[in-house]
Amino acid sequence: MIRTGLMIAALVAPLTACEEAPATAVSEDNARLITWEELLPEGEEERLAKLYEATLLYNVPEGGATDIATQIGTYNTVKELDGIRVRLPGYTVPFDYGPDAELAEFLLVPYFGACLHAPPPPPNQTVFVQADPPIKWRDLAQAAWVEGTLRTEVQSSELADAAYTIELSLIEPY
């Protein structure tokens, strides 16, 4: 344990271990246990389905110059989650990959390989995590529990845009 200061189901399966937990479940540190689905405002799954369907109409040849991992989705958030201390499982996507890398910022995503080997999830299914002080996280392929204060704050990076930010207080293996 380190202490510091949706994709649509048909496309990929996000971490769902805490899906059965009631919305009022809390961790030992009084953080609300949330699922990736809770980050989607009402009606968002239908909006995402339409966006993905529209994208499929423009079939791009694999390996072509226009074959890029485009992020599809919206920045729509659940405003009631802003400022809430949360606990969320996911996969880390660091910006720095060195063996001695200390992560001050990274992305948390609901499925393995997002942003690196697969298209990024929608912005409202991508969480930008800020660690102060920076942390060392050795096994990047490992799923993690991330805990901290959630903000409905947009962050942009070369890998993906995020509609949420977490101010990290705890990270541990899933």
Side-chain angles (χ1 to χ4, degrees), residues 100-112:
D100 294 323
E102 288 191 340
L103 304 177
E105 301 173 335
F106 60 93
L107 297 177
L108 188 71
V109 294
Y111 57 90
F112 179 75

Side-chain angles (χ1 to χ4, degrees), residues 148-165:
T149 304
L150 186 70
R151 302 279 179 211
T152 55
E153 180 178 299
V154 173
Q155 296 285 342
S156 294
S157 73
E158 290 181 15
L159 295 175
D161 292 344
Y164 292 96
T165 298

Side-chain angles (χ1 to χ4, degrees), residues 39-57:
L39 297 177
L40 296 174
E42 190 173 324
E44 190 69 6
E45 288 183 47
E46 292 80 17
R47 282 188 286 279
L48 285 173
K50 287 178 184 175
L51 287 171
Y52 279 103
E53 188 177 311
T55 302
L56 292 175
L57 295 175

Side-chain angles (χ1 to χ4, degrees), residues 1 4 21 27 29 47 54 63 70 87 94 106 113 123 135 168:
M1 183 169 20
T4 70
S27 73
D29 293 334
R47 282 188 286 279
T70 304
R87 181 172 173 88
F106 60 93
I135 61 162
L168 185 69

Side-chain angles (χ1 to χ4, degrees), residues 28 31 48 54 85-86 105 120-122 127 134 141 150 159 167-168 171 173:
E28 292 175 11
L48 285 173
R85 185 170 170 79
V86 299
E105 301 173 335
V127 178
L150 186 70
L159 295 175
E167 298 161 0
L168 185 69
I171 185 170

Side-chain angles (χ1 to χ4, degrees), residues 14-21 33 35 89 145 174:
L15 281 172
T16 57
C18 63
E19 249 178 48
E20 295 179 22
L33 183 63
T35 65
W145 282 106
Y174 178 75

Side-chain angles (χ1 to χ4, degrees), residues 137-150:
W137 190 248
R138 298 179 56 100
D139 187 1
L140 300 177
Q142 173 181 318
W145 282 106
V146 169
E147 195 169 300
T149 304
L150 186 70

